[in-house]
Short mmCIF file of all heavy atoms in Angstrom, two decimals:
data_model
loop_
_atom_site.label_atom_id
_atom_site.label_comp_id
_atom_site.label_asym_id
_atom_site.label_seq_id
_atom_site.Cartn_x
_atom_site.Cartn_y
_atom_site.Cartn_z
N LEU A 1119 23.83 53.78 104.88
CA LEU A 1119 23.67 52.51 105.60
C LEU A 1119 23.97 52.69 107.09
O LEU A 1119 23.31 52.09 107.93
CB LEU A 1119 24.57 51.44 104.99
CG LEU A 1119 24.17 50.96 103.60
CD1 LEU A 1119 25.27 50.10 102.99
CD2 LEU A 1119 22.85 50.21 103.64
N PRO A 1126 14.72 52.57 114.11
CA PRO A 1126 13.86 51.79 115.01
C PRO A 1126 13.22 50.58 114.30
O PRO A 1126 12.70 49.68 114.95
CB PRO A 1126 12.79 52.79 115.46
CG PRO A 1126 12.79 53.86 114.42
CD PRO A 1126 14.17 53.89 113.82
N HIS A 1145 35.81 45.70 100.90
CA HIS A 1145 36.22 47.02 101.38
C HIS A 1145 36.09 47.12 102.90
O HIS A 1145 35.31 47.95 103.40
CB HIS A 1145 35.37 48.11 100.71
CG HIS A 1145 35.43 48.12 99.22
ND1 HIS A 1145 36.54 48.55 98.52
CD2 HIS A 1145 34.52 47.75 98.29
CE1 HIS A 1145 36.30 48.44 97.23
NE2 HIS A 1145 35.09 47.95 97.06
N GLY A 1147 37.97 48.42 105.13
CA GLY A 1147 38.36 49.72 105.67
C GLY A 1147 37.25 50.75 105.58
O GLY A 1147 37.09 51.58 106.48
N LYS A 1151 34.29 52.34 109.41
CA LYS A 1151 33.81 53.59 109.99
C LYS A 1151 32.45 53.42 110.66
O LYS A 1151 32.03 54.27 111.44
CB LYS A 1151 33.78 54.72 108.96
CG LYS A 1151 32.66 54.67 107.97
CD LYS A 1151 32.70 55.88 107.04
CE LYS A 1151 31.30 56.39 106.82
NZ LYS A 1151 31.21 57.67 106.25
N THR A 1174 30.38 41.07 110.82
CA THR A 1174 30.91 42.25 110.13
C THR A 1174 32.02 42.89 110.95
O THR A 1174 33.06 43.27 110.42
CB THR A 1174 29.79 43.27 109.85
OG1 THR A 1174 28.74 42.62 109.15
CG2 THR A 1174 30.31 44.44 109.01
N SER A 1180 40.04 45.72 114.12
CA SER A 1180 41.50 45.81 114.17
C SER A 1180 42.02 44.80 115.19
O SER A 1180 41.25 44.25 115.98
CB SER A 1180 41.93 47.21 114.56
OG SER A 1180 41.47 47.51 115.86
N LEU A 1187 35.92 42.16 121.37
CA LEU A 1187 34.89 41.48 120.57
C LEU A 1187 34.66 40.04 121.06
O LEU A 1187 33.53 39.58 121.14
CB LEU A 1187 35.26 41.47 119.09
CG LEU A 1187 35.05 42.75 118.33
CD1 LEU A 1187 35.61 42.64 116.92
CD2 LEU A 1187 33.58 43.12 118.27
N GLY A 1193 29.36 35.94 125.49
CA GLY A 1193 28.08 36.01 126.19
C GLY A 1193 26.89 35.85 125.27
O GLY A 1193 25.78 35.55 125.71
N ALA A 1199 21.16 30.14 117.13
CA ALA A 1199 21.04 28.82 116.52
C ALA A 1199 22.38 28.39 115.91
O ALA A 1199 23.24 29.21 115.62
CB ALA A 1199 19.96 28.85 115.44
N GLU A 1201 23.25 27.41 112.98
CA GLU A 1201 23.66 27.97 111.68
C GLU A 1201 24.30 29.34 111.83
O GLU A 1201 25.21 29.70 111.09
CB GLU A 1201 22.52 28.00 110.66
CG GLU A 1201 21.35 28.86 111.05
CD GLU A 1201 20.20 28.11 111.73
OE1 GLU A 1201 20.41 26.99 112.20
OE2 GLU A 1201 19.10 28.68 111.77
N VAL A 1205 28.48 30.60 111.23
CA VAL A 1205 28.91 31.84 110.57
C VAL A 1205 29.92 32.58 111.46
O VAL A 1205 30.93 33.09 110.98
CB VAL A 1205 27.69 32.73 110.25
CG1 VAL A 1205 28.12 34.10 109.76
CG2 VAL A 1205 26.79 32.06 109.23
N LYS A 1216 44.14 36.31 109.88
CA LYS A 1216 44.53 37.70 109.61
C LYS A 1216 45.47 38.24 110.70
O LYS A 1216 46.42 38.94 110.40
CB LYS A 1216 43.26 38.56 109.54
CG LYS A 1216 43.48 40.00 109.21
CD LYS A 1216 42.14 40.71 109.11
CE LYS A 1216 42.26 42.19 108.87
NZ LYS A 1216 40.94 42.85 108.84
N ASN A 1218 47.61 36.64 113.37
CA ASN A 1218 48.22 35.45 113.99
C ASN A 1218 48.55 35.66 115.46
O ASN A 1218 48.51 34.72 116.24
CB ASN A 1218 49.49 35.05 113.25
CG ASN A 1218 49.22 34.51 111.86
OD1 ASN A 1218 48.07 34.35 111.46
ND2 ASN A 1218 50.27 34.23 111.13
N ILE A 1231 33.49 27.34 123.09
CA ILE A 1231 32.22 27.05 122.42
C ILE A 1231 32.15 25.59 121.97
O ILE A 1231 31.06 25.07 121.77
CB ILE A 1231 31.91 28.03 121.27
CG1 ILE A 1231 32.94 27.96 120.16
CG2 ILE A 1231 31.76 29.44 121.79
CD1 ILE A 1231 32.57 28.77 118.92
N PHE A 1238 26.19 18.37 115.15
CA PHE A 1238 27.37 17.84 114.47
C PHE A 1238 28.04 18.88 113.57
O PHE A 1238 29.26 19.06 113.63
CB PHE A 1238 27.00 16.59 113.66
CG PHE A 1238 28.14 16.05 112.85
CD1 PHE A 1238 29.13 15.30 113.46
CD2 PHE A 1238 28.23 16.32 111.49
CE1 PHE A 1238 30.20 14.81 112.71
CE2 PHE A 1238 29.31 15.84 110.74
CZ PHE A 1238 30.29 15.08 111.35
N LEU A 1249 41.95 22.45 113.30
CA LEU A 1249 42.92 21.68 112.53
C LEU A 1249 43.59 22.53 111.45
O LEU A 1249 44.78 22.41 111.19
CB LEU A 1249 42.25 20.44 111.92
CG LEU A 1249 41.79 19.38 112.93
CD1 LEU A 1249 40.98 18.29 112.23
CD2 LEU A 1249 42.97 18.79 113.68
N GLU A 1250 42.82 23.42 110.84
CA GLU A 1250 43.40 24.32 109.84
C GLU A 1250 44.40 25.29 110.48
O GLU A 1250 45.45 25.58 109.92
CB GLU A 1250 42.32 25.11 109.12
CG GLU A 1250 42.89 26.02 108.05
CD GLU A 1250 41.85 26.82 107.29
OE1 GLU A 1250 40.64 26.63 107.51
OE2 GLU A 1250 42.26 27.66 106.48
N LEU A 1283 41.75 12.19 115.79
CA LEU A 1283 42.80 11.21 116.02
C LEU A 1283 43.59 10.90 114.77
O LEU A 1283 44.77 10.56 114.83
CB LEU A 1283 42.19 9.91 116.59
CG LEU A 1283 41.64 10.06 118.02
CD1 LEU A 1283 40.87 8.80 118.40
CD2 LEU A 1283 42.75 10.35 119.00
#
Side-chain angles (χ1 to χ4, degrees):
L1119 291 169
H1145 302 288
K1151 76 177 221 166
T1174 306
S1180 63
L1187 283 173
E1201 62 264 18
V1205 172
K1216 183 177 176 183
N1218 291 355
I1231 63 172
F1238 176 78
L1249 293 173
E1250 182 180 355
L1283 292 171

